[in-house]
Amino acid sequence: MLATSHQAETDAKLQKLISPKARFSIGSGDVGRTLGIGVAGARALSLEIKADNFRYFIYDYIPMQINGGCGTEKIEVEFTDNTKKYVYPLMFTYLEGRLIDVSGWTRSFESGPLEPIHK
């Protein structure tokens, strides 16, 4: 993640993408906590979750969700730390194309292969 870099605080790309007032928070168990605001909050979040994978669902069906290009948009992205077996479903909120809020919760998971079905 770009926010993990040591130069994140001065990175021009991040400054354009993230509002200086953007809030970042994550919960675990029964405790939620704020990680900071602006680019510093994005950096704290990325260092906290240590994700090695992500996924999000694409709008590939009709009707597609369109609220207008300049309004508030939300997208959920699920980040995974496969080493610790944590998943972080995070809601990203944008206003006029700029990130203004990221919040979510830490969840643990278990996964494994399925036996093939033979007919």
Side-chain angles (χ1 to χ4, degrees), residues 20-54:
K21 296 179 182 180
R23 298 174 311 243
F24 295 82
S25 62
I26 194 162
S28 179
D30 62 349
V31 178
R33 57 194 165 99
T34 301
L35 295 174
I37 59 169
V39 173
R43 179 168 164 72
L45 176 66
S46 66
L47 291 171
E48 173 77 21
I49 67 176
K50 297 179 180 77
D52 55 30
N53 200 346
F54 74 94

Side-chain angles (χ1 to χ4, degrees), residues 49-65:
I49 67 176
K50 297 179 180 77
D52 55 30
N53 200 346
F54 74 94
R55 78 176 190 164
Y56 62 92
F57 295 106
I58 298 171
Y59 294 116
D60 54 0
Y61 58 91
I62 297 187
M64 292 175 35
Q65 210 175 15

